[in-house]
Amino acid sequence: MNGELTDYDMYLFHQGTHHRSYQMMGAHLMTRNGVPGVRFALWAPHAREVRVVGDFNNWQGHRHVMQRVNSCGLWCLFIPGVKPLDLYKYEIHTAQGDVLLKADPYAFYSEMRPGTASKVCSLEGYNWQDQAYLEQKSTLPVYERPVLIYEVHLGSWKRGCNGEFLNYCELAEQLADYAADMGFTHIELLPIMEYPYDPSWGYQVTGYYAVNSRYGSPQDFMYFVDYCHRRGIGVILDWVPAHFCQDGHGLSRFDGTPLYEPANPLRAVNRQWGTLHFNFARQEVISFLISNALFWFDVYHVDGLRVDAVASMLYLDYGRAEGQWLPNQYGGKENLEAVAFMQKLNEAVFRFFPDALMIAEESTAWPAVTKPTYLGGLGYNYKWNMGWMNDLLRYMQLDPVHRKWHHNLLTFSFLYTFSENYILPLSHDEVVHGKKSLLDKMPGDYWQKFANLRVLYGFMIAHPGKKLLFMGGEFGQFIEWNENQSLDWHLLDYEMHRRLHRYVKELNHFYKSEKSLWQLDHQPAGFQWIDPHDYNQSIITFLRRARDPLEYLIIVCNFTPVVREGYRIGVPRAGDYLEVFNSDGLCYGGSGQLNRRVAAEHLPWHNQPYSAVIKVPPLAVVFFKPVK
């Protein structure tokens, strides 16, 4: 990672095709003529002069003036004697006569806020122990594997005794062990790139290549990922290429001019979030961003990126009123440069890391988000199903007596579930800013709130698509998520929270054990309606199938608190059916309305050749499996 700048490197960087630009840019420890030091490289095309300042020169840069090495604005300087963890910034003298102090866009490590300086850091030398995990995940496409994602904000999952942050090493051993025990397959981290403002949760970044200093060093984070992999847990990072914050030490007007952002404020400024959009028409920015995506896979062995705010990149009028945006060259609202960037991004990621997860948080009806770029798609392999989430949470917040009038909110998602490769998210955005926690959203008395949450989780597990649950949801966090404090783990001292926790754990492990629930997640052959029409009783019944046609589950969901005795459902084959999971079990806090084993009769029902009579428990989901 410490090679010299070559003409070819510079050519690729300015063409937007340098996929490892972090190996040429930034601060790299090296030895020249037997003298150890650091080579600094920076892109600042409109700067009149650039100096390196730091604690190694008392922040006086007159002795360390960088040399401009090409006409496109690359600057370079080797400084002998600079050591790991030395602080530094770039002193940029603009064409307008201003002097700016900027953090290194390619810095691998930074001061913890409120400090804003970059730190010299080597990323080499860590002894990875995750080869077995990396080889195992390449044996089967992710589409045919169970995926259960535990979404986590590291600063508030757990804290130390005095409210201090846990470091990556402590979090590795606590969080990965916990996630594995609970049956999750992946942990998704809210952004861990360096950011200045805690309430942004990491979505307003200043250091795209710098691992978050709140929780430790780059080597500590390598240990975190390595330990997760050794426990069989994949690691997904939230990544924010849509916009960046306007803090003075960051990317905003980096060399005194709009550089990383578009020049026109109607394109640059995101008024909704007070941030700046990236300029996807500038090739050096493309090199910066695509290299950054690959960096996290390459250097830190992460398994995927969840790309934040994709809709804000796709649409020029996103969050803007009339007169506040500029159309594209054809008069439309589509951001053609952003579309091209995302296609190039995904092509590069899958070229180098074919087993990667590239997940779009995309909230509109933009077509072919998860289709290949050669078919005109954006090239992601997964998309959050925001429509499913919004419809279902709206439905679940209704009093059960009114749900029959809104049955379409429950069934509509099945009409489009195979149009993209979907992840079903119950994410952090749904439990903040007055939206209430998932448990507190649920209507009814104390018992019904927990029962509603159990049927919600059971329905999510049964629905086609991979799954995501935000931390705290697994034990029924009652208050909204607060990034300034730990989750309310003390709730596990209370019986209903403890039983919900057990329910989620056993539901997760049940999901992983049943191929019917994930092997054909993205194929119509993996799903079949039995009865979507019983709106009057707010019950739906459907099949999930594995590749083996004899391996299937029948799922019955009851969204009212009424027990239905003698309820007949159609089944495809003769024989006995075993109730293999029931969310109404006493051990989960339910009422104990169980079925055990039921026999199919040769009586056609629900367009099936056979049928069986079951008991439908209240506010519950039941899974039946044919007895072989």
Side-chain angles (χ1 to χ4, degrees), residues 249-489:
H249 67 285
L251 300 177
S252 172
R253 297 188 66 85
F254 188 79
D255 62 357
T257 68
L259 191 62
Y260 288 87
E261 70 271 31
N264 192 315
L266 294 180
R267 286 279 175 90
V269 179
N270 186 315
R271 299 175 186 274
Q272 186 176 0
W273 299 324
T275 55
L276 296 172
H277 289 291
F278 278 102
N279 184 356
F280 299 116
R282 193 183 282 271
Q283 297 310 309
E284 294 86 353
V285 173
I286 300 301
S287 286
F288 173 82
L289 288 172
I290 294 180
S291 293
N292 185 242
L294 292 169
F295 169 82
W296 295 101
F297 289 103
D298 191 20
V299 174
Y300 289 103
H301 291 205
V302 304
D303 301 277
L305 297 176
R306 175 269 202 182
V307 182
D308 181 65
V310 169
S312 73
M313 290 190 277
L314 289 173
Y315 297 98
L316 295 167
D317 64 343
Y318 185 89
R320 292 180 168 97
E322 187 174 350
Q324 294 181 345
W325 62 280
L326 292 176
N328 63 33
Q329 65 194 81
Y330 304 109
K333 62 182 181 179
E334 300 80 12
N335 188 333
L336 304 179
E337 291 87 0
V339 171
F341 157 70
M342 284 186 270
Q343 291 174 328
K344 292 175 184 176
L345 164 72
N346 289 313
E347 287 170 358
V349 168
F350 290 117
R351 173 185 166 194
F352 293 105
F353 300 96
D355 303 313
L357 285 164
M358 289 297 290
I359 304 164
E361 188 223 7
E362 204 286 304
S363 55
T364 74
W366 187 282
V369 172
T370 60
K371 296 297 185 288
T373 58
Y374 61 80
L375 295 178
L378 294 183
Y380 294 94
N381 57 359
Y382 275 99
K383 171 182 172 173
W384 273 18
N385 194 336
M386 311 289 278
W388 171 87
M389 178 188 70
N390 291 325
D391 285 352
L392 184 61
L393 291 179
R394 181 181 163 201
Y395 178 85
M396 291 303 302
Q397 290 177 83
L398 296 169
D399 188 301
V401 74
H402 300 304
R403 286 176 178 168
K404 64 181 179 180
W405 307 117
H406 303 273
H407 197 66
N408 62 302
L409 294 175
L410 200 59
T411 59
F412 178 64
S413 61
F414 291 96
L415 295 177
Y416 63 85
T417 191
F418 302 112
S419 64
E420 302 272 10
N421 300 330
Y422 281 117
I423 289 174
L424 310 178
L426 294 173
S427 74
H428 67 278
D429 275 329
E430 305 314 307
V431 294
V432 290
H433 300 326
K435 296 180 182 178
K436 301 182 180 180
S437 69
L438 289 179
L439 182 61
D440 202 19
K441 291 179 196 286
M442 300 298 107
D445 58 24
Y446 186 74
W447 184 90
Q448 288 181 350
K449 280 183 175 291
F450 283 91
N452 270 300
L453 197 55
R454 290 194 303 272
V455 72
L456 167 61
Y457 292 163
F459 177 63
M460 176 175 73
I461 288 293
H463 193 291
K466 310 308 182 186
K467 331 293 178 186
L468 178 143
L469 180 64
F470 184 57
M471 64 181 196
E474 74 275 18
F475 60 80
Q477 177 90 2
F478 231 128
I479 62 171
E480 287 189 346
W481 168 53
N482 183 345
E483 82 278 353
N484 286 319
Q485 65 187 48
S486 171
L487 294 177
D488 290 336
W489 293 102

